[in-house]
Amino acid sequence: MTGGAGYIGSNTALQLLDAGYDVVVVDNLSRGHRESVDPARLREVDLLDTEGLVKVMNEAPCEAVIHFAAYIAVGESMKIPEVYFLNNVAGSLSLLTAMVRTGIRKLVFSSTAAVYGMPERVPIVETERYAPVSAYGESKVMVEKLLHWFDQIHGLRSICLRYFNAAGADPAGRTGECHEPETHLIPLLFKAIRTGIPVTLFGDDYPTADGTCIRDYVHVTDLARAHILAVEALAAGAPSAKYNAGTGHGFSVREVLKAVEDVAGRPVPYEIGPRREGDPPLLVADSGRLQTELGWNPQYSSLRAIVETAWRWECRNG
Ligand code: UDP
């Protein structure tokens, strides 16, 4: 897998190992964490280094690649799009090139709800049109399009998992969320408790019940499971497909804040700020296709379980 030192990648690696799979992690550690990977499994190679990738693939032939490695900060992508297109798009192209050269023709790709931008219909189905509103979202659309042609021309089958809001931590406390800088809501709510410095809620004048944005939070352990199901489907001959990975239930920023207060047993200092550019009021997945076609059944994605596992991880590592 690529990006196995990151948040979702490291969780998936643990789950693959728990299930008895062998895993090799390719990561340049530019954003990931060395301590999140078993050193014996880590290969420090940059995605743009096609020759380096070919070497890893020849040394450790694998059934499939799970491709997590990417830059993920929407705001940053609007300041330095060139870095996002280079790492996310050119990096993926380099990976696909190495896969074709070594005869590996199954890929699971970390895509995102950001490919939809401001969707017209919610819950969102996979047939909703591409309409990204950030360079990050566009970079993922571009890779999804590359994958279409690699299937047509090279027979490289892929499953794109379009993540909604990944959250929570490994229930056994082995790995969790740790981005630098952190931009995600739940770790920032914890940070506000820890430091006493108020977190800013990005707008409370949206057309939702309490005025704050609604998102579909999906537990990272459930997301990791979706990758294993996707690899197994490809191994069983499934055709290329794209799936939303969310729970179908949305929670507002205020509801998440309340859940954090309940779990932590302390108030979250906060203030209301302006809206964040590009934030749609409501993003909720219809993930019926992932459930019926791949048998995905999210088990940890109640808001309570998400916040509790994240808090346990935060307490140990924050
Ligand atoms: N959010 C917020 N304050 C923050 C960070 C996030 O109010 O400091 C809101 C954000 O506007 C969105 C939700 O929390 O409605 C989830 O944001 P996050 O960045 O975690 O994920 P995204 O939805 O951007 O993928």
Side-chain angles (χ1 to χ4, degrees):
M1 75 168 57
T2 73
Y7 171 45
I8 305 171
S10 62
N11 270 278
T12 305
L14 287 174
Q15 212 174 109
L16 281 162
L17 293 168
D18 288 347
Y21 287 96
D22 197 5
V23 179
V24 171
V25 170
V26 168
D27 202 302
N28 67 1
L29 299 179
S30 65
R31 303 271 162 122
H33 305 283
R34 184 182 292 280
E35 62 277 13
S36 299
V37 190
D38 173 352
R41 299 184 180 280
L42 178 63
R43 308 286 182 274
E44 278 185 65
V45 178
D46 193 284
L47 275 189
L48 292 166
D49 176 6
T50 313
E51 293 306 323
L53 295 173
V54 165
K55 188 160 173 279
V56 172
M57 290 170 186
N58 279 331
E59 279 170 9
C62 61
E63 169 85 25
V65 172
I66 310 181
H67 176 32
F68 294 100
Y71 291 160
I72 59 155
V74 172
E76 185 184 54
S77 81
M78 299 302 280
K79 296 197 179 89
I80 45 169
E82 58 281 10
V83 173
Y84 275 67
F85 291 121
L86 184 67
N87 191 50
N88 295 5
V89 184
S92 295
L93 182 57
S94 167
L95 174 70
L96 294 172
T97 305
M99 289 176 66
V100 169
R101 277 179 46 194
T102 54
I104 302 169
R105 291 197 163 76
K106 301 180 193 84
L107 179 90
V108 179
F109 175 59
S110 298
S111 191
T112 170
V115 301
Y116 301 118
M118 308 267 186
E120 280 161 20
R121 285 168 298 272
V122 180
I124 304 167
V125 289
E126 288 85 351
T127 48
E128 179 78 27
R129 76 203 188 302
Y130 288 131
V133 292
S134 66
Y136 165 69
E138 184 72 51
S139 75
K140 294 288 182 174
V141 171
M142 290 166 92
V143 178
E144 288 200 1
K145 290 185 175 177
L146 289 179
L147 289 171
H148 166 76
W149 293 109
F150 272 75
D151 187 348
Q152 292 280 304
I153 297 164
H154 290 303
L156 192 158
R157 285 177 294 124
S158 62
I159 290 182
C160 298
L161 295 173
R162 293 173 174 165
Y163 309 154
F164 281 63
N165 287 64
D170 176 42
R174 295 171 294 180
T175 184
E177 191 165 12
C178 185
H179 296 109
E180 192 53 55
E182 189 54 75
T183 60
H184 291 128
L185 179 63
I186 294 174
L188 288 175
L189 293 170
F190 291 144
K191 189 174 168 197
I193 292 180
R194 208 174 59 233
T195 61
I197 301 167
V199 59
T200 303
L201 308 193
F202 296 143
D204 68 348
D205 57 351
Y206 283 96
T208 59
D210 66 19
T212 61
C213 288
I214 294 175
R215 293 287 178 275
D216 185 333
Y217 295 87
V218 52
H219 196 287
V220 68
T221 301
D222 288 329
L223 265 188
R225 175 80 189 134
H227 294 80
I228 298 179
L229 293 170
V231 168
E232 289 173 349
L234 289 172
S240 292
K242 300 173 177 61
Y243 296 106
N244 287 337
T247 65
H249 303 288
F251 294 98
S252 72
V253 172
R254 282 191 189 277
E255 285 173 324
V256 176
L257 184 145
K258 173 78 173 53
V260 165
E261 291 185 333
D262 288 348
V263 167
R266 289 154 67 183
V268 175
Y270 72 92
E271 59 195 17
I272 305 294
R275 291 181 176 195
R276 184 172 66 178
E277 202 184 332
D279 256 348
L282 177 63
L283 280 181
V284 174
D286 178 336
S287 57
R289 191 188 273 186
L290 182 58
Q291 300 190 25
T292 40
E293 292 184 14
L294 296 195
W296 187 60
N297 174 23
Q299 315 221 312
Y300 297 91
S301 291
S302 71
L303 185 56
R304 181 91 192 177
I306 286 172
V307 173
E308 270 175 2
T309 55
W311 177 238
R312 279 208 298 275
W313 168 256
E314 171 80 16
C315 286
R316 200 176 303 176
N317 300 282

